[in-house]
C-alpha cells in the first residue's frame, strides 16, 4: 500500500508544480479525485487513531529494537525516513504531522492541490514551492505512520 500511495502522491505533486494538468488518457481526471479522496480519508482516520491513542492513556505503543530489526527483515516495505523514536512509536510521527498541519489545514492544502493539478496554471502565489514540498513530505509521513500502525495492529491481532 504505501509504495503505491506514495507514487500517486508524487505524481500528484508533479502536477501541482508544473504548468500542466492531470488527465489520464483512459480514466481522465477521475483517478486524481480518487487519490484526493483516499488521502483525505487516510488523514481523517489517522487523526482519529491519534486521538484514540492519546485518550486511551494506555501503555506506550513503542516497540523494542529487536522487533524493529525483525520488521525491517520481514516486511516487504519499511519506511527509512523516520527518526528512531517515530519508528518505535509511529503515533509520535502522527502527532508531529498534525501539529504542523492541523486537520483543516490538511484539508485546505489537499483541496488547493486538487484545483491546481486539474488546472493548466500553477498558482505560486497561493501555493509557494517550499510549502508544496513541506506539505508533500507531511503527507508521506502520515501515510508511512498509518502503514506502520496498521502493520503492527495486524501482527498484534494475529497473535
Amino acid at each position: 500500500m504505501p509504495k503505491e500511495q506514495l507514487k500517486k502522491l508524487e505524481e500528484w505533486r508533479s502536477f501541482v508544480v508544473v504548468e500542466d494538468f492531470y488527465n489520464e488518457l483512459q480514466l481522465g481526471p477521475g483517478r486524481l479525485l480518487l487519490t484526493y479522496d483516499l488521502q483525505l480519508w487516510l488523514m481523517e482516520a489517522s487523526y482519529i487513531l491519534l486521538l484514540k491513542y492519546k485518550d486511551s492513556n494506555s501503555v506506550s505503543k513503542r516497540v523494542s529494537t529487536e522487533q524493529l530489526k525483525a520488521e525491517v527483515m520481514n516486511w516487504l516495505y519499511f519506511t527509512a525516513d523516520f527518526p528512531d523514536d517515530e519508528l518505535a512509536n509511529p503515533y509520535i510521527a502522527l502527532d508531529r504531522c498534525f501539529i504542523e498541519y492541523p486537520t483543516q489545514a490538511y484539508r485546505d492544502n489537499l483541496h488547493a492541490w486538487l484545483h491546481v493539478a486539474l488546472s493548466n496554471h500553477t498558482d505560486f502565489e497561493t501555493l509557494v514551492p517550499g510549502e508544496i514540498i513541506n506539505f508533500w513530505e507531511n503527507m508521506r509521513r502520515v501515510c508511512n505512520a498509518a502503514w506502520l500502525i496498521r502493520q503492527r495492529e495486524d501482527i498484534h491481532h494475529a497473535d
Side-chain angles (χ1 to χ4, degrees), residues 4-16 113 136 139-140:
E4 294 84 20
Q5 183 70 13
L6 294 173
K7 184 178 175 186
K8 290 175 188 173
L9 290 176
E10 190 169 350
E11 180 183 25
W12 186 4
R13 183 195 63 184
S14 71
F15 283 99
V16 171
W113 273 41
W136 176 69
M139 286 194 297
R140 288 181 56 228

Side-chain angles (χ1 to χ4, degrees), residues 49-109:
L49 276 174
L50 177 63
L51 292 178
K52 184 179 174 186
Y53 171 76
K54 286 181 167 184
D55 192 46
S56 69
N57 293 326
S58 63
V59 293
S60 173
K61 299 276 185 175
R62 186 174 193 85
V63 298
S64 68
T65 305
E66 294 78 28
Q67 182 178 339
L68 278 174
K69 288 177 184 175
E71 291 170 354
V72 170
M73 295 296 293
N74 297 324
W75 293 353
L76 294 176
Y77 173 82
F78 196 85
T79 184
D81 59 354
F82 275 15
D84 289 344
D85 65 332
E86 292 178 4
L87 283 174
N89 183 351
Y91 288 97
I92 294 171
L94 286 181
D95 194 39
R96 290 174 179 161
C97 287
F98 290 118
I99 287 171
E100 187 169 359
Y101 288 95
T103 55
Q104 189 57 51
Y106 206 103
R107 284 185 196 94
D108 292 344
N109 274 281

